[in-house]
Amino acid sequence: MGQEKNPRRAAETEALATSRMLKVSPQKLNLVAQLIRRKPVGKALADLTFSKKRIAGDVKKTLQSAIANAENNHGLDVDDLVVAEAWVGKNLTLKRGSPRARGRYGKILKPFAQITIKVRQVEEQA
């Protein structure tokens, strides 16, 4: 009698995690996302831990959430996980301003971004 169950957005061997409203521009966040794409999760966590970028800590929390989702919700083996995809999107932009010379107005845009990380279980080749 109820609603149909929503289909999974990922395959059976995949898990997702999303962080929204990160106070950084999407362009800067994409630089950090490029560091971890197509890497094993252990190497990706190490890269984020020692990165000098401020937003790397938030990306690390999102990756840890994706790993926990894979382990607890989907029963995947953590040792065989690889960061399959990491994509970045725009979120809202705060519009601020500052007075400039001759009565003009200087626009200041404060962008927010979001990141989605997908991890996939890959069998190791012997």
Side-chain angles (χ1 to χ4, degrees):
M1 178 83 196
Q3 289 183 328
E4 297 276 331
K5 185 178 177 185
N6 286 336
R8 282 194 62 192
R9 290 177 24 198
E12 292 298 319
T13 60
E14 295 176 343
L16 287 169
T18 302
S19 287
R20 293 187 169 90
M21 295 296 291
L22 298 173
K23 182 63 185 91
V24 67
S25 72
Q27 186 175 5
K28 291 178 183 177
L29 183 57
N30 195 35
L31 292 174
V32 177
Q34 285 176 349
L35 285 175
I36 63 171
R37 286 188 183 117
R38 293 178 294 283
K39 287 188 179 178
V41 292
K43 175 95 171 84
L45 284 172
D47 288 350
L48 291 172
T49 301
F50 297 108
S51 174
K52 292 187 177 187
K53 301 279 187 182
R54 174 188 61 85
I55 200 65
D58 292 330
V59 175
K60 182 180 174 187
K61 282 175 60 175
T62 307
L63 179 57
Q64 288 171 335
S65 176
I67 294 167
N69 289 342
E71 183 179 13
N72 297 321
N73 299 345
H74 307 300
L76 303 178
D77 186 20
V78 176
D79 297 330
D80 295 338
L81 291 179
V82 172
V83 178
E85 299 174 30
W87 66 91
V88 174
K90 290 197 296 189
N91 212 314
L92 67 87
T93 301
L94 297 178
K95 278 89 173 177
R96 299 292 183 258
S98 138
R100 307 303 292 171
R102 296 167 57 184
R104 300 207 174 140
Y105 177 79
K107 255 206 291 197
I108 298 174
L109 302 177
K110 299 188 175 203
F112 285 76
Q114 62 190 28
I115 186 168
T116 304
I117 297 177
K118 182 187 285 188
V119 293
R120 179 179 297 139
Q121 184 175 1
V122 178
E123 298 300 324
E124 294 182 15
Q125 287 98 12

